[in-house]
Amino acid sequence: MKMKGVSVSSWIWVIGGVIIASIIIVFGVTMLAKFQERNQKIFSIESYENMVNRVTLVCSQSIGNVDYYRVRMPDVVRAVYPAKFVNDLPPDKVAEDIAQLRRAQGRYICMQFFDETTARCKDILNCEIDMTYIGTPSKKDSLADILARLQGQYSVHNYLVIINKTDTKHVDILAQKELVIS
């Protein structure tokens, strides 16, 4: 069957090509997003482990030692927080605790991602810690978050972390949110 010089089979090939191209584009964008998220998680784990190592080092030193550390936490991180036990999860409203720079005590420093039901925890041997919650504050849309999403990026939350050995077996970890303009 022909319609003014174009056959039905030609239209089937055109429509089929458009459908296949759409599937390939969606697949590619999905793979790229997963790759970016995986890289953000790897970056977050490295930052977390560096922070834990610095806290452990300060804990092993004498009273009054202080270390300053800048940490960047992408939006994939729900929270970095202190815990009394290795299996403790962050509080249900941890985003508010992060936004309000609330503090808690524990013997472990833990990190949890949004898409995971468990947390990674490291024991700070020989020291109790008093720490400010850090991570992703409540997901209210700020201008920076909206701009990052429009550019296909994750928002990154920057903190200046001050690690201070205040007593023989006590380390104080104070985190201050930093505004970084790039």
Side-chain angles (χ1 to χ4, degrees):
M1 177 174 170
K2 289 195 170 204
M3 296 191 293
K4 294 188 181 184
V6 179
S7 67
V8 173
S9 65
S10 296
W11 280 109
I12 291 173
W13 280 106
V14 169
I15 293 171
V18 168
I19 291 171
I20 289 173
S22 298
I23 291 171
I24 290 172
I25 289 171
V26 167
F27 180 73
V29 168
T30 302
M31 292 301 291
L32 187 62
K34 287 184 182 204
F35 178 74
Q36 185 180 12
E37 182 179 345
R38 190 175 133 266
N39 284 344
Q40 293 293 332
K41 281 186 171 185
I42 291 169
F43 173 78
S44 301
I45 291 169
E46 289 172 356
S47 293
Y48 161 74
E49 288 178 352
N50 285 337
M51 188 177 106
V52 169
N53 290 338
R54 291 177 92 130
V55 170
T56 303
L57 179 64
V58 169
C59 174
S60 69
Q61 296 172 341
S62 60
I63 296 172
N65 276 328
V66 179
D67 188 11
Y68 297 88
Y69 181 59
R70 283 192 162 75
V71 64
R72 301 179 64 195
M73 287 293 155
D75 255 355
V76 295
V77 176
R78 180 173 180 219
V80 176
Y81 59 96
K84 293 186 186 291
F85 303 101
V86 73
N87 295 328
D88 283 354
L89 292 175
D92 289 337
K93 296 186 178 186
V94 72
E96 290 177 20
D97 293 336
I98 293 166
Q100 299 296 320
L101 296 174
R102 291 191 183 115
R103 301 170 62 79
Q105 295 180 339
R107 184 175 156 169
Y108 298 88
I109 296 178
C110 301
M111 179 174 72
Q112 184 185 34
F113 291 110
F114 276 104
D115 63 349
E116 295 180 356
T117 56
T118 60
R120 292 164 172 73
C121 294
K122 300 264 184 164
D123 191 356
I124 305 302
L125 303 172
N126 305 322
C127 281
E128 280 286 318
I129 57 170
D130 189 350
M131 178 180 167
T132 307
Y133 288 97
I134 59 179
T136 303
S138 46
K139 288 272 196 177
K140 295 177 183 161
D141 288 332
S142 69
L143 181 59
D145 292 338
I146 292 169
L147 290 174
R149 269 187 257 130
L150 287 174
Q151 295 174 346
Q153 300 173 349
Y154 289 92
S155 294
V156 176
H157 307 281
N158 300 291
Y159 294 91
L160 172 63
V161 178
I162 304 165
I163 306 163
N164 183 10
K165 181 144 185 197
T166 57
D167 201 358
T168 308
K169 294 193 180 262
H170 190 269
V171 174
D172 188 56
I173 305 166
L174 175 67
Q176 301 170 345
K177 188 111 167 97
E178 288 189 316
L179 179 62
V180 176
I181 300 171
S182 52

